[in-house]
């Protein structure tokens, strides 16, 4: 009798095990389906974002946003927008003031249009900013290459590259955020500096080099001016 009960219990336990495994399999399948659905949703969201940002940046090129403090200020504004608050910073640099005006006068309108097309900013502020800055940086780089060309010869040193930079870039644009960002990426592609170089470091090095060679730059500037006199 005991043996009979034991066999029935073992059979029942086997059924329970099968049912449990079936529930585990069903749950795993459901989770996979949910994960795939979420992945597709995020892919569609990213595709929409990349497409619209790419089109928008063909109408405007706010290169001042490539300065780190400007992009951080913009991120704060995006978070404030999602939270329904106002981002205020009393210690504004020139780029931060430009960012504030650009956001309120132009970018906010673009984000509203983007939201009407299905993009949700809340919770995706970093995603939006990353896509925006990546595309902006790519467009800026291509534009600068079109304007300045491949102006540093192969095998040039960093100081030789600095000389070339000051030679081709107009004085009023030499420390503009877009040009500094371009030059940093350009030097990296040339293998002259590493990725670890920040834009701030490059800008400091450029200013130091210009200051140390101030007299020589004046001579070259005068020489070019005289060459244009017939």
């Amino acid at each position: 009798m005991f043996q009979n009960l034991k066999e029935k219990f073992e059979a029942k336990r086997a059924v329970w095990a099968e049912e449990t495994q079936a529930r585990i399999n069903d749950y795993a399948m459901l989770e996979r389906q949910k994960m795939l659905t979420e992945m597709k949703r995020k892919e569609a969201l990213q595709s929409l974002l990349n497409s619209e940002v790419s089109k928008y940046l063909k109408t405007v090129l706010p290169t001042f946003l490539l300065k780190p403090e400007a992009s951080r200020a913009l991120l704060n504004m995006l978070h404030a927008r999602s939270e329904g608050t106002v981002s205020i910073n009393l210690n504004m640099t020139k780029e931060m003031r430009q960012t504030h005006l650009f956001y309120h006068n132009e970018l906010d309108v673009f984000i509203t249009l983007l939201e009407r097309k299905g993009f949700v900013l809340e919770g995706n502020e970093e995603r939006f900013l990353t896509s925006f800055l990546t595309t902006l940086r790519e467009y800026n780089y291509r534009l600068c290459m079109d304007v300045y060309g491949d102006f540093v010869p192969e095998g040039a040193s960093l100081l030789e590259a600095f000389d070339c930079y000051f030679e081709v870039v107009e004085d009023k644009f030499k420390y503009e955020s877009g040009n500094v960002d371009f030059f940093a990426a350009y030097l990296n592609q040339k293998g002259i500096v590493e990725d670890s170089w920040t834009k701030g470091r490059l800008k400091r090095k450029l200013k130091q080099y210009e200051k140390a060679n101030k007299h020589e730059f004046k001579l070259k500037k005068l020489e070019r001016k005289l060459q244009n006199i017939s």
Side-chain angles (χ1 to χ4, degrees), residues 24-34:
I24 291 173
N25 291 341
D26 289 344
Y27 178 77
M29 183 178 294
L30 181 62
E31 287 299 303
R32 283 196 295 271
Q33 289 174 344
K34 287 168 62 177

Side-chain angles (χ1 to χ4, degrees), residues 21-63:
Q21 188 59 50
R23 286 195 294 271
I24 291 173
N25 291 341
D26 289 344
Y27 178 77
M29 183 178 294
L30 181 62
E31 287 299 303
R32 283 196 295 271
Q33 289 174 344
K34 287 168 62 177
M35 184 175 66
L36 287 173
T37 300
E38 180 62 15
M39 285 176 59
K40 289 179 180 179
R41 186 191 70 80
K42 288 183 178 179
E43 287 175 0
L45 190 73
Q46 190 66 55
S47 178
L48 170 67
L49 178 60
N50 292 345
S51 174
E52 294 302 314
V53 165
S54 180
K55 288 188 288 186
Y56 178 66
L57 286 176
K58 288 177 181 177
T59 69
V60 62
L61 203 67
T63 55

Side-chain angles (χ1 to χ4, degrees), residues 17-176:
E18 289 178 2
E19 291 176 346
T20 300
Q21 188 59 50
R23 286 195 294 271
I24 291 173
N25 291 341
D26 289 344
Y27 178 77
M29 183 178 294
L30 181 62
E31 287 299 303
R32 283 196 295 271
Q33 289 174 344
K34 287 168 62 177
M35 184 175 66
L36 287 173
T37 300
E38 180 62 15
M39 285 176 59
K40 289 179 180 179
R41 186 191 70 80
K42 288 183 178 179
E43 287 175 0
L45 190 73
Q46 190 66 55
S47 178
L48 170 67
L49 178 60
N50 292 345
S51 174
E52 294 302 314
V53 165
S54 180
K55 288 188 288 186
Y56 178 66
L57 286 176
K58 288 177 181 177
T59 69
V60 62
L61 203 67
T63 55
F64 51 86
L65 291 175
L66 295 173
K67 195 166 184 177
E69 53 261 42
S71 59
R72 285 195 298 270
L74 178 56
L75 182 58
N76 289 336
M77 293 177 200
L78 294 176
H79 281 297
R81 186 183 193 277
S82 296
E83 296 163 3
T85 59
V86 178
S87 176
I88 299 176
N89 190 324
L90 299 179
N91 300 313
M92 285 191 175
T93 62
K94 175 185 175 182
E95 283 83 359
M96 290 172 72
R97 285 194 295 273
Q98 286 178 299
T99 301
H100 185 271
L101 290 173
F102 173 70
Y103 170 76
H104 288 285
N105 293 337
E106 298 187 47
L107 189 61
D108 186 56
V109 179
F110 169 64
I111 294 173
T112 300
L113 180 61
L114 193 58
E115 288 175 326
R116 289 184 180 180
K117 293 186 177 185
F119 181 78
V120 179
L121 180 66
E122 186 174 359
N124 290 298
E125 295 86 0
E126 287 82 359
R127 180 191 295 270
F128 174 86
L129 186 63
T130 297
S131 177
F132 196 91
L133 293 181
T134 298
T135 308
L136 176 61
R137 184 165 282 115
E138 290 172 355
Y139 282 11
N140 176 68
Y141 187 89
R142 290 205 296 267
L143 177 63
C144 288
M145 281 298 292
D146 287 343
V147 173
Y148 304 124
D150 188 7
F151 59 91
V152 176
E154 293 299 323
S157 68
L158 179 61
L159 297 185
E160 288 171 337
F162 282 2
D163 268 332
C164 295
Y165 180 79
F166 286 120
E167 188 76 22
V168 300
V169 179
E170 292 182 55
D171 284 348
K172 61 182 178 180
F173 296 131
K174 58 191 174 185
Y175 296 120
E176 189 269 331

